Amino acid sequence: NAGVMQNPRHLVRRRGQEARLRCSPMKGHSHVYWYRQLPEEGLKFMVYLQKENIIDESGMPKERFSAEFPKEGPSILRIQQVVRGDSAAYFCASSLSVGFNEQFFGPGTRLTVL
Amino acid sequence: GNSVTQMEGPVTLSEEAFLTINCTYTATGYPSLFWYVQYPGEGLQLLLKATKADDKGSNKGFEATYRKETTSFHLEKGSVQVSDSAVYFCALSEITGGGADGLTFGKGTHLIIQP
């Protein structure tokens, strides 16, 4: 049973470009969470999604960031017009159901903005 | 809001030493508590968890007890190995009316075990 998959593992973008990060949850999991880890910091919650719905986006920056989890395909975290401060590791996690709140993490995407 | 505070690192120990990593939390309700471990270049792996007061989570020789009276969830291991070198994160999660929320993490404690 494959774990949470994220790609790419490493992404380099120049300032002003767009970054698209993909996350495929564990088989059977319909809840996806995105977190950001800045250097020397813990993970910060960004957004929680179920299929075709954003449940909680209280941790998402108000501008340039968006997330989706379509009926088919992976969850996408999209960052438009990236800036150097967006450089971080972005982790995706998935869980089985609402009441079972154990989250399984992917290996992360390390975004570097030049 | 919720928060997690854990001891600053790095923590450097010799092999077979006793380990304690302190973790305290602030939460509005009755959270579940977790310890995650992150090895270099990898994602987080769940190490152990406890869902209610006085529960003890344990795995791979590590254990932590949910202490509601002191709002703590300290991680302990009786005899550490070089392979335990990693970053350890304490975290909490609450089930709200809208469903399972995101985890709130501490900043992490970098553990270095020397042979």
Side-chain angles (χ1 to χ4, degrees):
Chain A
N1 186 15
V4 178
M5 310 285 283
Q6 289 188 251
N7 67 80
R9 294 291 305 274
H10 301 275
L11 182 61
V12 179
R13 286 287 178 265
R14 296 189 181 279
R15 281 179 297 168
Q17 292 184 318
E18 179 179 288
R20 292 172 69 87
L21 288 62
R22 295 174 183 78
C23 168
S24 296
M26 285 182 70
K27 186 177 181 180
H29 287 193
S30 58
H31 301 254
V32 166
Y33 308 79
W34 285 94
Y35 295 84
R36 177 165 62 177
Q37 184 181 31
L38 295 169
E40 307 302 324
E41 294 284 330
L43 279 73
K44 301 292 186 185
F45 167 74
M46 299 180 75
V47 61
Y48 161 41
L49 309 105
Q50 295 178 26
K51 287 284 188 181
E52 300 183 277
N53 285 302
I54 296 174
I55 307 302
D56 181 356
E57 56 182 347
S58 58
M60 286 277 271
K62 299 299 181 193
E63 298 177 348
R64 302 187 297 107
F65 285 72
S66 62
E68 63 178 14
F69 189 17
K71 187 176 180 181
E72 302 290 337
S75 176
I76 306 288
L77 179 67
R78 182 183 178 201
I79 312 172
Q80 296 178 291
Q81 300 175 337
V82 296
V83 301
R84 287 215 174 105
D86 297 332
S87 296
Y90 292 83
F91 290 95
C92 169
S94 70
S95 67
L96 185 60
S97 66
V98 171
F100 186 70
N101 57 354
E102 180 172 343
Q103 297 178 19
F104 295 84
F105 282 78
T109 294
R110 281 157 180 79
L111 172 65
T112 302
V113 179
L114 302 177
Chain B
N2 297 340
S3 67
V4 175
T5 303
Q6 58 183 108
M7 60 193 294
E8 301 269 336
V11 173
T12 303
L13 296 172
S14 298
E15 204 166 19
E16 299 183 3
F18 184 86
L19 169 71
T20 301
I21 301 178
N22 290 336
C23 171
T24 57
Y25 67 90
T26 303
T28 53
Y30 300 95
S32 294
L33 301 174
F34 306 84
W35 277 99
Y36 280 85
V37 58
Q38 184 181 31
Y39 297 101
E42 298 184 10
L44 278 70
Q45 300 173 25
L46 179 64
L47 181 59
L48 54 84
K49 67 174 183 177
T51 57
K52 61 182 187 297
D54 299 325
D55 268 3
K56 178 186 282 188
S58 61
N59 186 27
K60 299 180 181 179
F62 291 89
E63 58 182 34
T65 302
Y66 189 144
R67 300 287 188 200
K68 190 171 185 294
E69 65 276 14
T70 54
T71 62
S72 65
F73 193 55
H74 304 321
L75 182 69
E76 296 182 335
K77 186 175 185 183
S79 177
V80 292
Q81 307 299 315
V82 172
S83 58
D84 294 326
S85 299
V87 181
Y88 292 80
F89 292 94
C90 185
L92 70 82
S93 177
E94 286 191 279
I95 303 294
T96 64
D101 64 353
L103 289 158
T104 300
F105 284 90
K107 289 190 174 183
T109 301
H110 187 191
L111 176 65
I112 300 169
I113 307 301
Q114 297 177 333

